[in-house]
Amino acid sequence: VAVYCGMRVVEGEGDSYKIKDRLPGTEIDTPSGDVLPSLVMTSFISTQTLMIRRDIFHKVGGFDTQLPALEDWELMLRVAQHGRVLFVDEDLVEQRFSPNSLTKDKVKRVTAQEMILFKHRDMLSGYPGALTLGHSRIAGAHRALGADRKAYPHSFKAWKHGKRPKDFALACLSFVRGLFRAS
């Protein structure tokens, strides 16, 4: 239903640049074929690297324009449910982030993560650890922004789904800090 290639994420300008990251990374168990189990855990297919069959793109309704960020990840969560996604293991794309990049906007990113988790909750619940990880990441992002009152429910849900002591401790921390912070 789709094909994508590798991408180098670089930092710097001209000849003085360094490779900051590579997508997909080595942590992705299944970069080709049924990629949905990997996609529910993390975003690793970027729009610049992707070609989708036109009929599938229209069938899934295209990009969700309501999302403030992560539109490519959300699109691929829907596309990957329709068949195999092939990976060309060659870095054919080089990405440089600009200061106003949507990906770097932490508020837009955490808002999009919340929207995607809500929109795909039923599908994600079929993959062990996906809801735990999703809520844990959202809670961490809110804590990093100083929004402990917003972090608390996600930390608690991460603990509820995964029963990890770390999530329980972070839920308690967010709750207590939320009592003393205006977030």
Side-chain angles (χ1 to χ4, degrees), residues 35-180:
V35 299
L36 195 54
S38 295
L39 270 173
V40 298
M41 301 308 249
T42 191
S43 174
F44 60 92
I45 300 176
S46 185
T47 307
Q48 309 93 301
T49 68
L50 179 63
M51 289 190 300
I52 301 171
R53 281 187 12 212
R54 181 187 308 242
D55 63 319
I56 297 297
F57 184 78
H58 289 297
K59 186 174 187 176
V60 301
F63 288 101
D64 182 344
T65 59
Q66 301 301 309
L67 290 171
L70 302 172
E71 298 95 333
D72 47 4
W73 181 39
E74 193 279 330
L75 173 67
M76 283 309 300
L77 286 172
R78 290 180 283 129
V79 167
Q81 293 179 59
H82 291 276
R84 294 172 34 117
V85 175
L86 300 180
F87 172 55
V88 175
D89 194 3
E90 191 173 337
D91 295 343
L92 301 175
V93 174
E94 185 172 281
Q95 182 180 47
R96 296 174 191 263
F97 285 108
S98 63
N100 64 347
S101 167
L102 287 178
T103 305
K104 289 196 174 237
D105 187 317
K106 293 175 182 172
V107 173
K108 287 181 180 180
R109 188 173 176 87
V110 72
T111 300
Q113 287 172 324
E114 288 176 310
M115 292 170 72
I116 291 167
L117 191 82
F118 179 77
K119 181 176 181 177
H120 295 288
R121 175 175 305 285
D122 291 341
M123 185 265 296
L124 294 171
S125 68
Y127 294 88
L131 289 175
T132 300
L133 185 60
H135 282 295
S136 180
R137 283 185 180 148
I138 292 167
H142 280 307
R143 277 192 305 279
L145 291 168
D148 289 286
R149 289 183 185 162
K150 291 181 179 180
Y152 167 72
H154 289 287
S155 290
F156 184 78
K157 288 174 185 174
W159 172 76
K160 182 178 152 193
H161 290 291
K163 302 295 186 214
R164 300 184 311 184
K166 173 186 172 184
D167 293 317
F168 182 75
L170 288 170
C172 293
L173 175 67
S174 296
F175 179 78
V176 170
R177 286 185 4 186
L179 292 174
F180 298 101

